[in-house]
Structures are given as C-alpha cells and as structure tokens.
Amino acid sequence: MPAVEIERIIKTALPDATVELTALADDDDHWAATVTSSAFAGLTRVRQHQLVNAAFGDRLGTELHALALTTKAA
C-alpha cells in the first residue's frame, strides 16, 4: 500500500492527525507511522493504536502487511 493511501486512510478516521511515514522495506508493504492527534488525549497507548488499526479494517495484514505505530496526543 503506498504511503499516500496509508495517510488518506488515517486522516479519514482522524481528520486532525499528523502522519509521518517511514518505509521499513522497499516494498510498499512494511511501514512505520507516527500519528499525532487530539483524539488520543486521555486514551491509553493500546486504545490509540486500536483507533489507527481500526481505520484499516481487513486491509491491515492483507494489503498492508505491517504497520509499526507510534502515537502521540496533540
């Protein structure tokens, strides 16, 4: 999945998010993302990651093999 599509999916779920992506391999399939959003305020890190992962639905693990997340409250 290309970086632009990953960012679009995250921003659809979290419109105020800032997304920084780093390719972990040269295959559009392994990414690291730092996502900053006010929606994360007061949430545990696990819940923050769940919000991001839920945005991908069944595409995570299929179209996008791996997404290493770092989340931050804005």
Side-chain angles (χ1 to χ4, degrees), residues 35-57:
V35 182
T36 305
S37 173
S38 62
F40 298 149
L43 300 179
T44 65
R45 186 161 312 201
V46 169
R47 185 66 187 124
Q48 293 172 14
H49 287 210
Q50 288 172 335
L51 286 175
V52 176
N53 289 336
F56 290 91

Side-chain angles (χ1 to χ4, degrees), residues 18-68:
T18 301
V19 182
E20 300 171 32
L21 292 165
T22 304
L24 299 177
D26 191 24
D27 61 4
D28 274 349
D29 206 24
H30 296 81
W31 293 92
T34 299
V35 182
T36 305
S37 173
S38 62
F40 298 149
L43 300 179
T44 65
R45 186 161 312 201
V46 169
R47 185 66 187 124
Q48 293 172 14
H49 287 210
Q50 288 172 335
L51 286 175
V52 176
N53 289 336
F56 290 91
D58 61 0
R59 298 173 80 180
L60 189 59
T62 56
E63 292 177 51
L64 177 60
H65 181 72
L67 182 64

Side-chain angles (χ1 to χ4, degrees), residues 4-19:
V4 68
E5 179 68 0
I6 295 169
E7 185 171 358
R8 184 194 66 74
I9 289 169
I10 293 171
K11 286 185 170 247
T12 296
L14 302 163
D16 76 325
T18 301
V19 182

